[in-house]
Structures are given as C-alpha cells and as structure tokens.
C-alpha cells in the first residue's frame, strides 16, 4: 500500500475514465434490460416490477435524457402508453418522463448533437403521439414540454433539485458528490438544438391533428392553441408542416367552439395570421375557401363585430377581416354563396352618419385607430371581391360607387359635420380618400355605367383642382416611400383613377372627360408639377408619366382632341424631349417618362398637321433624332415609329436631311448604322421551324419585332440617291435596304418552300415550276445586289489606289525638294566658309555669264561701262535652328568704279 506524503495527490485520471466508461455501458445495458422487461411476454404482467424499474430509470435521468439514449427512452414511453388503457398506474411514469423532457438533452461529446440528430427528431415526433392518450394530465405535460422548448433559458450548468423547481421530485435522493460527477461528465445541448430538430419532426403536425380529440376538453384546448401559436410564430418550417396537415382549415372549423376561457378565437386568429405570413399564402387561401370555413369566419366576425369593446377585441376584428380579404382574392371562394359578401358590402357602404340599419346601430364606431384601420380594410376588400362577377350586381344594389365617390370629395366638403359630432380627423379623411381612390381605380372600369351616372369624372376633376390649390398640406404616408409630400399623392391616385376608366376605350366616358376641359386642365397641372419639382422627385416623375399616358389614350383616335392638345401640348412635348435620355437608368422613373413622352407625341401630335408643323418649327424632329442617337436600344422602336408617321408631313423631310449630331453624323448614316446593328441581332436557326397554316410565318412576324421595316420606309420617303454624309460601308448597306421588300417576299416564299418539303406535300408540275421560278427570282435579286455591292467596293478600291498614288507622288516631290534644299544649303555653306571656293564659284558664274551674253552689234555697246560689286564676309553666327536658318552671315560690299578713257 502506497503512503501519500503531505501535499501529494494521487494520480487517478485513467482510473476515472475507465470507471466512467464502464458505468455508461452499464447504464445502457440497464436501459436495454428495462425495454426487454416491458416487451418480454413472460414478464409483461409484472406491473410492480415494471413501475419500480421505470422509477429507477427516471431517477437516474432526472437531470435530463442523454442524446444516445433517446431512442430507447422513446421505446419505453411507447410501451408505457400501450399499457395505460389497462393499467392507469403507468400515467405517472409518462407524466414524470415528460417533465424531464422540459430540461435540455445531455451530450457526452460535442459530436453527439450531429451523431444522434435523427434519434432526437424521432423522439420529438413520438412526444406528439402521446397526445392520443385520453388523459388530461399527460396531454397537458406534452403541451407544457413543447412550450418549454421556447421559454427555457440556455443552461450553462445543471442545477440541483433545491434550486430548480421544474425538476421532478425523483432526483432528490441523489448525493451531492454523485451529482457533481454527473454534471462534469455530461453537458446540455446548445439552446437552439431542439428547436432546429423540432422543425424536422412531425410534432407540429401531430399537435395540430390532436385538436379533433379535444372536443370535450375545453380546458386543454386553449393551451394547445397557445403551443401551436408559438410554433407557428417561430418558424416557417413549422407553418409548412401544419399546412400539410390542413392546419388552416382545422383551426378555422374549431374556432367557434364553446370556450369558457375566451381565448380560443383570439389564438385561432393569431395562428391563421402566422400561417398567412410565414407559410404559403395560396395554400392557406385554398384551405379556407370552402363553405364551412367561410361560414365559420362569418360567425366569428359577426360575433366580434357586435361585441368588440376592448382594444384586443378590435384588433381581433381587424385580423379576421384581413383573413377574409385573403380569402376574397381567391375567385373560387364561397363568400357570395354564404351571403357573407352581402353583409361585408353592406358594412362598407355604411357611412358615419346616422343609419337605420340594425348592423350600423350595433356597430358603434368609436373613431379609434382600430376603427380607422377597419374602414380602410373594408374599402380595400372591394378590390378582391370584384374578381367574382356576381359581386358586381351586389355593388350596384348597395350603391358602392356612390360610397367611393363620396370619399373622393375634397376634405373641405367631407369635413362638414354638425357641431359637437364625432368624426374622422382631417388626416384620417385624407387616408380614407386615398384608399377610396385606389379602390376606385380597380372598381370603376367594371362599373362604368354607375361611374358615369354618379358623375365620376366630375368628382375626380374637382379633386384635382383641390390638390393644385392646396398643395402645401401635410399628408401622412399612405405609401411609406413618399412620407411628407403635399397633395401629390392624392393627385397621383386621382390621375390613375382617370386613366383606369379611359383605358377601356368607351367613347362616351372619354368624350365626357374632354367636354369638361380635362385636356387643358391636365396640361396645366403637368407643367406646374414639372416647374415646381426637382428632377430626383420620384413622385413627380410618376405623376407626369401618368398624365402623358392619359393624353395618349384620349387623343390617339380622335383628331378633334389632337387639335385640343394643340400648340400647348406640342410645347410640353418639346420641353420634355429636351431632357434627353441621360437619366434613363437613374431608377427614378425617368425611363417611363421618356417613353410616355414619345408615345404622347405619336398619339397626340402626329396626325394633326397644324400641331405637327408647330412641333417641327420647334425642332421636334431634331429632338427625336437626338433621342434616337443617344437612347438605349429599347427606345429605338417607338422613336422610329413616331418619325415614320411624322414623314407623312412633307415638311419633315428637310429636317431629317439637315440634322447632324455632335459628331457630324447625318440622319441617313444613323439609320444605316441602326440597320447593321439589327442584322447583328438576327442570329437564329430557322431551318427546323414549322408553322400552322393559320399562323403568320416567321418572316412576317419579324417585321414587327425589329427596326428594319421602319428604317426602309423612312428611306422610301428620303429616297435612296444623293443622301448626305454616307461612307462606302453605308452605300453597301443602302443597297440591301433598297431591296428590303424583295428580300422579304423571297423569305416568305422560301419558308413556304421549306414547309412544303418538310411536310412532304406533292405539287403539280406547274405549281412546282412557279415556286422554283419565284425562288430563282429571289436568288437573282440577291446576286444583283451582291454585284452592285462588289461594284461599290471596286470603285472604293480604285479610289483608294488613286489617293494612295497621289499621296506617294506628293511624298516623292517633297523628298526631292528636301534634297535640293539640302544641296543648296551645302553649296551656300561651302561658298561662305572658304574664299577659294567662293572665287571658283565666281569664276564659274562669270564664265557662264560670258557664254550667255548676246553678241555686241556696235562699238558703243562694247564700250558701255559696267558696275561690279565684290562681297566679303564680315561675321558668321549660329542660331541653333536646322537648315539655312541655323546660320546668320553678315556680308560687306565694295563698289568698283569704272575707269574713264583718256
């Protein structure tokens, strides 16, 4: 025996690890023995023995179940659940085991969480299956365990029974030293571990399905709904699992059952809202559109509507209304069939004034914020309800259009109330007005007769005038992106409502609008918004875009309205075209504004010669060409179409021929460049394409898809000869443009021939010969164009050779001149720097002069005196420059007088 000295400790780690390993294996073996004891037919009736060993098992796991043992624990709980019917004593074991489940699971190693993940998932699924046991205490423990997953705080260490009141009493006999060793060996799992695996289990679905078994347990139903509310609000996966079990339908069908607690309806509404928010909205709607569900919602809504007094009741009412709105978006809903839609529409048309309706009498609006939200939601409900055509007759009977137009009145008119009467505030009135305008934009096109009978155009135009006159008001954010913006929000939605009714193309509606001076009024509003807004004002850009689209709709097919658009409209279009396409990709809506401007020119100016001439005088054609040269490809089609229609006016052609861009490029050259870009885009394999006999061929459809046809027709106006600013490449392209129609006809016949071959159609000899001749004609046209192009290229080549020869001739002449200058300089330097050379040069000059003198005819000519000058160098200076300029020479001259004869 070893004697330890003072201060020396026994080294025992190895012994402890072996003991732990042995103990763990022993405990695992013990769990298997318990399962065997419960399953063995020879011991299946030993109830007392079962209960003793099960209590011992639970006592051993009183601090939490081990991850590696959960599969065995699940089997034990399943066996106990099977024995409950005959032996209720096992209920105690189940309840105590479920209490332990509220504690975090324990792990021996960090890798256990991943290794035993599937076992944990199966265990959680089995927990939900315990809800099938017809015992209130077991079910309540299951529910409390699930709720504890979300309520418990992450444990950093395990507490003993005296500090943790949630632990079962079975653990009280554990010694302090044993508990200490236990907590050192095992650690709790991470806080979100169970929640992650719960999403993969069937627990949410199982809890939901257990609702059908709780019809006679009104005390447990609210607790179960509370657990489902927690599950649905915490995870999208839980919502999906619940929806797979038709959770929305089940919750809805049980929401009106007797409830002493008063919480079932509120919790059911919360769960449905969570399923809509975090689950699949379409699937929720599909489960709630049945007649039974709609009747259940109708009963719940009517009950809350008549009895709502507290804040929670008002919120519940609005939540139910939101769910009803989602159901109304499904055209197959039973809202109309159940008469629920009639009740809702009647509620919408109730004004805030006194009404004899029983529903209005019991409604009791308090003008609180929740009542205001309900009013807005009711107005919005009209939009999805209108998808059901049978609801339109209901709208007409309840005079929905008159109600909407009543809200459209200016707030000054809306706020006329009796003194002392309660009513909506001015801010709330404007919010309701905005919602009514949004609803009107959707409803009015479906009820044009009612809209016109109640003078809808007049209401909207008066509202526009009010928006212009009181533009400094403060409006809360009906749309969060706008914030504080005067009356532009009302103006925008008012214009959208006008555009929605005019877009239907009903003549008497559009004519009524124009008869009230809408074109002139809208032009004034447009220019006022443009002048008072900044370029980065997204709302102002949207308003201007909507007004221009409205002009296009009104004036496109009516010459008189184009004349009303007139010079003022042309000036407006010019002003917006001058902005160009620089902010096309700014993300503020300028791209839509540019498109609407060009479309406005096309629909409201082109076709009225008086307005066209004014547009051209203000350089409108130039601005369109500028836009064509600088804009993205997506704009080219509408700009070219506008220019093409504008070419019907003979005053347009001179503008097209005289235009130049900043680089000096002409309009014909720009058009040919666009043609070449289009040809680069056409890279399709059409050899295997077939078309039905009643469908247009690809060659025909291609005309409307690209710009080549438009470019060809513009050149047909301009002509194909004597066009300014074209290069050889442009002339080559122009030869193709000139034959565009011939090539297009050839493409159509080529497609016909290919279709005939692919479908094995037998032709008569005459038909076959005619088809061959047509195809040959197309080939001959192509060969002629190729020959013309080659001729152009040859002429270009000859011209290039001529220019090159002239260039080299000039270069040789220049080089020869440089050589002569260099030789002259060398001679000059040699003469001025050497007196001997100077004398030789002088002698040569005199000799040459004598040889070239004419013979003297008389003696007087011979005796005629001559004057001679002798020069000498005084100084030579260098200037640093090249050539003769680099030397500065100073010469002196001496006159020699001739001698007289003696």
């Amino acid at each position: 025996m070893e004697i330890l000295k003072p201060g020396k400790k026994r080294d025992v780690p190895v012994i402890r690890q072996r003991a732990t390993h042995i103990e763990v294996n022993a405990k695992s073996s013990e769990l298997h023995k318990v399962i065997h004891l419960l399953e063995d037919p020879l011991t299946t009736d030993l109830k007392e023995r079962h209960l003793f060993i099960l209590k011992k098992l639970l006592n051993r796991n009183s601090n939490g179940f081990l991850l590696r043992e959960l599969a065995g624990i699940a089997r034990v709980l399943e066996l106990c659940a099977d024995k409950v019917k005959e032996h209720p004593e096992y209920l105690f074991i189940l309840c105590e085991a479920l209490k332990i489940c509220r504690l975090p699971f324990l792990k021996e190693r960090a890798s256990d969480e991943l290794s035993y993940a599937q076992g944990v998932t199966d265990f959680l699924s089995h927990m939900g299956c315990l809800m099938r046991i017809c015992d209130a205490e077991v079910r309540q423990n299951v529910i409390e365990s699930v709720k504890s997953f979300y309520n418990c705080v992450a444990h950093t260490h395990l507490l003993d029974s005296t500090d943790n009141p949630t632990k079962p009493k079975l653990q009280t006999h554990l010694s302090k030293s044993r508990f200490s060793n236990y907590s050192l060996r095992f650690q709790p799992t991470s806080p979100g571990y169970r929640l992650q695996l719960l999403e993969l289990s069937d627990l949410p679905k199982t809890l939901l399905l257990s609702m059908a078994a709780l019809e006679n347990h009104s005390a447990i139903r609210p607790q179960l709904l509370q657990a489902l509310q927690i599950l649905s609000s915490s995870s999208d996966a839980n919502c999906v699992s619940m929806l797979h079990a038709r959770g929305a339908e089940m919750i809805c069908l049980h929401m009106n059952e007797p409830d002493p607690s008063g919480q079932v309806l509120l919790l059911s509404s919360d769960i449905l809202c969570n399923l809509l928010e975090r689950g699949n909205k379409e699937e929720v709607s599909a489960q709630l559109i049945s007649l039974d569900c709609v009747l259940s919602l109708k009963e719940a809504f009517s009950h809350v509507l008549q009895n709502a007094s507290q804040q929670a009741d008002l919120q519940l009412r609005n939540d139910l209304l939101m769910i009803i709105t989602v159901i109304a978006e499904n055209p197959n809903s039973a809202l109309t069939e159940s008469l629920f839609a009639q009740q809702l529409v009647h509620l919408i048309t109730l004004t805030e004034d006194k009404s004899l309706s029983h529903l209005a009498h019991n409604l009791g609006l308090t003008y609180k914020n929740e009542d205001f939200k309900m009013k807005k939601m009711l107005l919005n409900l009209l939009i999805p309800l209108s998808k059901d055509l049978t609801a339109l007759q209901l709208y007409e009977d309840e005079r929905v259009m008159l109600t909407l137009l009543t809200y459209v009145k200016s707030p000054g008119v809306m706020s006329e109330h009796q003194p002392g009467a309660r009513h909506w505030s001015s801010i709330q009135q404007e919010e309701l007005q905005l919602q009514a305008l949004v609803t009107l934009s959707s409803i009015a096109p479906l009820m044009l007769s009612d809209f016109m009978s109640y003078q809808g155009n007049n209401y909207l135009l008066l509202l526009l005038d009010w928006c212009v006159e009181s533009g400094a008001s403060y409006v809360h954010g009906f749309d969060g992106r706008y914030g504080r913006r005067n009356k532009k929000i009302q103006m925008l939605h008012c214009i959208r409502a006008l555009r929605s009714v005019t877009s239907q193309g009903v003549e008497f509606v559009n004519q009524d609008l124009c008869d009230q001076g809408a074109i002139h009024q809208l032009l004034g509003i447009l220019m006022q918004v443009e002048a008072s807004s900044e370029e980065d004002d997204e709302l102002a850009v949207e308003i201007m875009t909507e007004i221009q689209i409205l002009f296009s709709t009104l004036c496109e097919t009516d010459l008189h309205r184009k004349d009303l658009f007139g010079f003022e409209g042309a000036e407006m279009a010019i002003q917006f075209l001058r902005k160009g396409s620089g902010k096309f990709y700014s993300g503020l809506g300028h791209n839509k504004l540019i498109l609407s401007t060009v479309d406005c020119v096309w629909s409201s100016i082109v076709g009225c010669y008086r307005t066209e001439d004014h547009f051209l005088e203000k350089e409108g054609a130039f601005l369109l060409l500028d836009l064509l040269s600088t804009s993205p490809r997506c704009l080219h089609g509408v700009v070219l179409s506008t220019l093409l229609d504008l070419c019907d006016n003979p005053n347009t052609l001179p503008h097209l021929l005289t235009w130049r861009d900043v680089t000096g490029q002409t309009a014909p050259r720009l058009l040919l460049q666009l043609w070449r870009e289009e040809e680069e885009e056409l890279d399709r394999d059409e050899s295997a394409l077939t078309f039905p006999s009643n469908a247009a061929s690809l060659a025909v459809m291609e005309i409307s898809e690209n710009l080549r046809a438009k470019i060809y027709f513009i050149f047909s106006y301009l002509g194909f000869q004597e066009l300014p600013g074209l290069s050889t490449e442009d002339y080559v392209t122009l030869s193709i443009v000139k034959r565009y129609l011939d090539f297009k006809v050839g493409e159509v016949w080529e497609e016909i021939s290919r279709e005939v071959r692919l479908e094995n159609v037998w032709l008569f000899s005459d038909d076959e010969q005619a088809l061959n001749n047509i195809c040959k004609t197309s080939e001959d046209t192509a060969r002629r164009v190729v020959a013309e192009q080659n001729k152009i290229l040859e002429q270009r080549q000859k011209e290039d050779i001529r220019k090159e020869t002239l260039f080299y001739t000039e270069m040789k002449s220049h080089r020869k001149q440089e050589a002569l200058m260099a030789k002259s300089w060398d001679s000059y330097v040699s003469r001025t720097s050497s007196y001997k050379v100077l004398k030789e040069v002088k002698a040569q000059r005199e000799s040459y002069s004598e040889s070239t003198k004419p013979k003297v005819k008389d003696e007087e000519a011979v005796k005629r005196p001559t004057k001679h000058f002798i020069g000498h160098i005084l100084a030579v200076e260098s200037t640093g420059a090249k050539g003769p300029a680099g030397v500065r020479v100073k010469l002196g001259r001496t006159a020699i007088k001739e001698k007289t004869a003696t």
Side-chain angles (χ1 to χ4, degrees):
M1 179 177 179
E2 181 183 2
I3 300 176
L4 296 177
K5 296 181 179 180
K8 183 177 180 182
K9 295 182 179 180
R10 186 185 301 273
D11 189 338
V12 291
V14 177
I15 298 176
R16 284 188 179 180
Q17 290 180 359
R18 290 179 179 175
T20 302
H21 181 69
I22 293 172
E23 184 178 355
V24 169
N25 290 336
K27 291 180 178 179
S28 299
S29 176
E30 181 181 352
L31 180 60
H32 290 299
K33 290 181 180 179
V34 173
I35 297 174
H36 179 73
L37 181 66
L38 295 173
E39 290 181 336
D40 192 349
L42 299 178
T43 60
T44 187
D45 296 329
L46 302 178
K47 182 179 64 173
E48 298 297 334
R49 177 64 178 168
H50 292 171
L51 294 175
F52 175 79
I53 197 68
L54 289 172
K55 291 178 181 179
K56 184 178 179 181
L57 176 65
L58 295 178
N59 184 37
R60 180 173 61 83
N61 294 277
S62 58
N63 294 295
F65 291 121
L66 289 173
L67 291 179
R68 62 180 179 80
E69 293 184 349
L70 284 178
I73 297 295
R75 179 58 181 161
V76 171
L77 296 180
E78 183 180 0
L79 293 172
C80 292
D82 294 338
K83 297 178 180 295
V84 163
K85 293 182 179 179
E86 298 179 358
H87 305 286
E89 293 85 354
Y90 288 93
L91 291 174
F92 173 77
I93 301 299
L94 293 175
C95 292
E96 295 299 326
L98 289 171
K99 291 179 182 178
I100 297 177
C101 290
R102 302 178 194 178
L103 303 175
F105 298 140
L106 303 178
K107 61 183 178 181
E108 299 174 80
R109 303 176 184 85
S111 60
D112 285 355
E113 291 188 358
L114 182 61
S115 301
Y116 299 105
Q118 185 59 47
V120 177
T121 303
D122 296 338
F123 180 81
L124 294 175
S125 299
H126 182 74
M127 276 186 59
C129 294
L130 296 179
M131 292 291 293
R132 74 179 187 271
I133 299 177
C134 297
D135 183 78
E137 188 177 1
V138 173
R139 289 172 174 172
Q140 186 172 358
N141 275 285
V142 173
I143 295 171
E144 292 298 329
S145 297
V146 174
K147 291 163 63 175
S148 69
F149 295 169
Y150 296 88
N151 297 332
C152 66
V153 182
H155 292 270
T156 57
H157 62 278
L158 296 176
L159 303 177
D160 59 9
S161 61
T162 58
D163 296 329
N164 191 352
T166 62
K167 291 186 179 180
K169 296 181 179 180
L170 292 174
Q171 63 179 340
T172 57
H173 70 279
L174 288 174
S175 65
K176 184 175 181 181
S177 60
R178 183 179 179 184
F179 176 77
S180 178
N181 294 334
Y182 189 89
S183 62
L184 289 174
R185 293 198 308 269
F186 307 118
Q187 295 295 325
T189 55
S190 55
Y193 179 69
R194 280 187 302 189
L195 301 183
Q196 293 177 359
L197 297 181
L198 187 148
E199 296 177 358
L200 303 177
S201 70
D202 295 332
L203 181 58
K205 182 191 303 183
T206 308
L207 290 178
L208 179 72
L209 294 175
S210 65
M211 285 192 61
L214 299 179
E215 295 181 358
N216 299 324
H217 297 78
S218 58
I220 300 178
R221 189 185 303 114
Q223 300 180 33
L224 176 59
L225 289 174
Q226 190 176 37
L228 292 174
Q229 192 269 343
I230 295 173
L231 290 171
S232 61
S233 63
S234 60
S235 169
D236 296 351
N238 291 342
C239 292
V240 173
S241 178
M242 294 169 65
L243 286 176
H244 286 171
R246 298 193 66 82
E249 180 180 12
M250 183 170 294
I251 294 294
C252 183
L253 293 177
H254 291 82
M255 67 193 312
N256 294 309
E257 293 179 355
D259 173 33
S261 67
Q263 296 295 314
V264 170
L265 184 56
L266 179 61
L267 291 171
S268 299
S269 174
D270 286 343
I271 295 172
L272 291 177
C273 291
N274 291 335
L275 293 177
L276 285 172
E277 181 180 357
R278 306 187 70 109
N280 189 319
K281 183 177 178 180
E282 288 73 19
E283 187 173 354
V284 175
S285 175
Q287 293 182 20
L288 298 179
I289 61 174
S290 65
L291 181 60
D292 292 337
C293 288
V294 171
L295 289 174
S296 179
L297 285 170
K298 178 183 178 181
E299 179 183 353
F301 182 76
S302 300
H303 172 74
V304 177
L305 188 66
Q306 299 296 330
N307 300 282
S309 58
Q310 303 298 325
Q311 180 72 17
D313 297 332
L314 299 177
Q315 180 63 47
L316 173 60
R317 178 196 62 191
N318 291 349
D319 290 343
L320 291 174
L321 190 57
M322 184 270 291
I323 297 170
I324 295 166
T325 303
V326 174
I327 298 175
E329 294 176 355
N330 193 317
N332 299 321
S333 67
L335 288 173
T336 305
E337 182 182 353
S338 63
L339 302 180
F340 194 15
Q342 183 177 1
Q343 177 182 344
L344 292 170
V345 173
H346 179 65
L347 184 62
I348 293 169
T349 56
L350 289 178
T351 62
E352 287 68 37
D353 299 330
K354 293 182 179 180
S355 175
L356 299 178
S357 171
H358 174 73
L359 182 61
H361 178 72
N362 295 329
L363 183 59
L365 284 176
T366 60
Y367 298 94
K368 294 181 180 179
N369 188 47
E370 296 300 330
D371 292 331
F372 173 67
K373 290 181 180 178
M374 183 195 71
K375 203 70 178 178
K376 289 178 60 178
M377 294 174 70
L378 286 171
L379 291 173
N380 180 67
L381 180 61
L382 291 171
I383 299 176
L385 276 178
S386 64
K387 296 180 180 180
D388 187 356
L389 296 180
T390 58
L392 297 180
Q393 183 61 43
L394 184 61
Y395 289 179
E396 184 176 349
D397 296 339
E398 294 288 341
R399 299 194 299 177
V400 168
M401 185 59 62
L402 179 60
T403 301
L404 293 175
L405 292 175
T406 301
Y407 284 107
V408 168
K409 290 180 181 179
S410 63
V413 178
M414 293 171 58
S415 60
E416 293 179 358
H417 297 279
Q418 296 179 357
R422 300 183 62 187
H423 53 79
W424 303 116
S425 66
S426 60
I427 300 299
Q428 290 174 330
Q429 286 181 359
E430 293 181 4
E431 289 269 359
L432 292 174
Q433 183 184 74
L434 289 173
Q435 184 60 63
L437 286 170
V438 173
T439 306
L440 190 65
S441 299
S442 299
I443 303 300
L446 305 175
M447 304 177 65
L448 286 177
S449 298
D450 282 14
F451 179 79
M452 293 302 297
S453 63
Y454 294 120
Q455 300 180 358
N457 286 332
N458 186 36
Y459 275 95
L460 295 175
L461 293 177
L462 289 175
L463 180 60
L464 279 177
D465 284 337
W466 173 79
C467 292
V468 174
E469 294 172 358
S470 57
S473 176
Y474 179 89
V475 179
H476 286 283
F478 173 76
D479 191 333
R481 60 183 173 149
Y482 295 143
R484 179 169 181 161
R485 304 283 185 93
N486 49 53
K487 294 303 176 186
K488 289 181 181 178
I489 302 176
Q490 277 107 329
M491 190 182 299
L492 173 62
H493 289 285
C494 186
I495 294 169
R496 283 179 177 173
L498 286 172
R499 191 165 71 87
S500 67
V501 296
T502 57
S503 62
Q504 303 302 307
V506 179
E507 183 60 27
F508 78 94
V509 177
N510 296 355
Q511 187 59 46
D512 175 75
L513 190 63
C514 294
D515 290 344
Q516 298 188 48
I519 293 179
H520 178 74
Q521 180 181 350
L522 291 171
L523 277 172
I525 294 173
L526 177 59
M527 299 310 296
Q528 182 175 346
V529 172
E530 196 276 334
S532 60
S533 303
E534 299 177 357
E535 292 186 353
D536 59 347
D537 189 344
E538 183 180 357
L539 182 57
V541 172
E542 198 168 354
I543 290 174
M544 293 185 289
T545 301
E546 293 287 342
I547 293 178
Q548 288 182 345
I549 295 175
L550 185 56
F551 286 145
S552 300
T553 304
L554 291 174
C555 302
E556 183 176 5
T557 58
D558 193 286
L559 185 59
H560 176 64
R561 295 172 194 163
K562 291 183 180 182
D563 191 57
L564 291 176
F565 190 75
F567 292 174
E568 186 181 0
E571 293 285 351
M572 179 274 296
I574 291 292
Q575 184 169 342
F576 280 90
L577 286 175
R578 291 188 189 279
K579 296 178 181 294
S581 59
K583 294 189 175 183
F584 191 84
Y585 293 111
S586 64
L588 300 175
H590 288 280
N591 54 341
K592 297 179 182 179
L593 181 60
I594 294 171
L595 282 169
S596 64
T597 300
V598 178
D599 184 64
C600 188
V601 173
W602 193 4
S603 302
S604 304
I605 295 178
V606 175
C608 181
Y609 285 162
R610 188 175 71 90
T611 311
E612 282 183 3
D613 290 340
H614 184 77
F615 179 76
L616 293 173
E617 289 176 4
K618 297 296 182 177
E619 299 182 347
F622 287 176
L623 294 174
L624 288 174
L625 288 170
D626 290 338
L627 188 61
L628 183 65
S629 64
T630 59
S631 63
R633 188 172 182 269
C634 57
L635 270 178
H636 292 168
V638 63
V639 176
L640 282 174
S641 298
T642 305
L643 285 171
L644 178 58
D645 288 350
L646 201 58
C647 286
D648 288 335
N649 190 327
N651 296 328
T652 304
L653 301 182
H655 290 263
L656 298 184
L657 293 174
T658 57
W659 175 83
R660 299 291 187 276
D661 66 0
V662 293
T663 63
Q665 182 177 225
T666 63
R669 187 170 187 179
L670 173 61
L671 295 174
L672 294 173
Q673 176 63 31
L674 294 177
W675 180 284
R676 288 191 290 268
E677 292 175 359
E678 281 294 307
E679 287 185 334
E680 292 177 359
E681 294 291 330
L682 296 177
D683 187 15
R684 293 175 294 185
D685 183 13
E686 305 171 4
S687 58
L689 296 178
T690 58
F691 299 91
S693 58
N694 59 346
S697 67
L698 185 62
V700 175
M701 291 189 297
E702 182 262 345
I703 295 176
S704 60
E705 293 177 356
N706 61 66
L707 311 178
R708 296 195 298 176
K710 300 178 180 65
I711 295 174
Y712 166 76
F713 286 114
I714 292 177
F715 272 109
S716 298
Y717 283 103
L718 296 176
F720 297 93
Q721 303 294 332
E722 299 180 357
L723 296 173
L726 299 185
S727 63
T728 302
E729 183 183 14
D730 296 329
Y731 279 112
V732 171
T733 306
L734 187 62
S735 64
I736 302 176
V737 177
K738 184 166 54 177
R739 298 286 186 175
Y740 173 74
L741 282 183
D742 295 334
F743 285 133
K744 185 55 62 179
V745 172
E747 286 181 19
V748 174
W749 282 106
E750 177 62 26
E751 287 184 354
I752 295 174
S753 177
R754 185 168 61 250
E755 288 289 330
V756 168
R757 291 194 303 270
L758 291 175
E759 297 181 5
N760 297 322
V761 177
W762 182 81
L763 298 177
F764 291 103
S765 58
D766 293 342
D767 295 336
E768 185 175 3
Q769 182 63 32
L771 184 60
N772 293 334
N773 291 337
I774 292 172
C775 294
K776 184 178 179 181
T777 301
S778 300
E779 295 175 358
D780 292 341
T781 302
R783 280 193 288 267
R784 287 196 301 271
V785 172
V786 171
E788 182 179 351
Q789 291 176 337
N790 291 333
K791 183 178 179 181
I792 294 173
L793 294 176
E794 289 176 1
Q795 291 178 353
R796 171 62 183 273
Q797 186 177 9
K798 290 179 180 179
E799 181 65 20
D800 290 343
I801 293 175
R802 186 187 67 80
K803 291 181 179 179
E804 185 177 357
T805 303
L806 178 61
F807 175 75
Y808 279 114
T809 302
E810 293 178 353
M811 184 182 295
K812 289 179 180 179
S813 176
H814 182 67
R815 291 291 178 85
K816 186 176 180 180
Q817 184 67 24
E818 288 181 350
L820 291 175
M821 291 178 63
K823 185 176 180 181
S824 175
W825 169 249
D826 292 341
S827 175
Y828 174 75
V829 172
S830 62
R831 285 185 285 109
T832 56
S833 59
S834 176
Y835 181 71
K836 183 179 178 180
V837 175
L838 181 60
K839 288 175 63 177
E840 292 177 357
V841 173
K842 180 180 179 182
Q844 290 177 1
R845 287 180 177 177
E846 289 177 352
S847 175
Y848 178 76
S849 177
E850 290 294 334
S851 65
T852 57
K853 282 183 179 182
K855 295 181 179 181
V856 182
K857 296 182 179 179
D858 48 33
E859 295 180 355
E860 294 181 3
V862 175
K863 295 180 180 180
R864 182 177 302 164
T866 58
K867 296 182 180 180
H868 301 279
F869 295 91
I870 298 176
H872 59 277
I873 298 174
L874 298 178
V876 178
E877 297 178 0
S878 175
T879 63
K882 296 181 179 180
V887 179
R888 182 180 299 167
V889 181
K890 294 183 179 180
L891 300 177
R893 296 183 181 180
T894 303
I896 302 176
K897 297 181 180 179
E898 60 183 17
K899 298 180 180 180
T900 56
T902 57

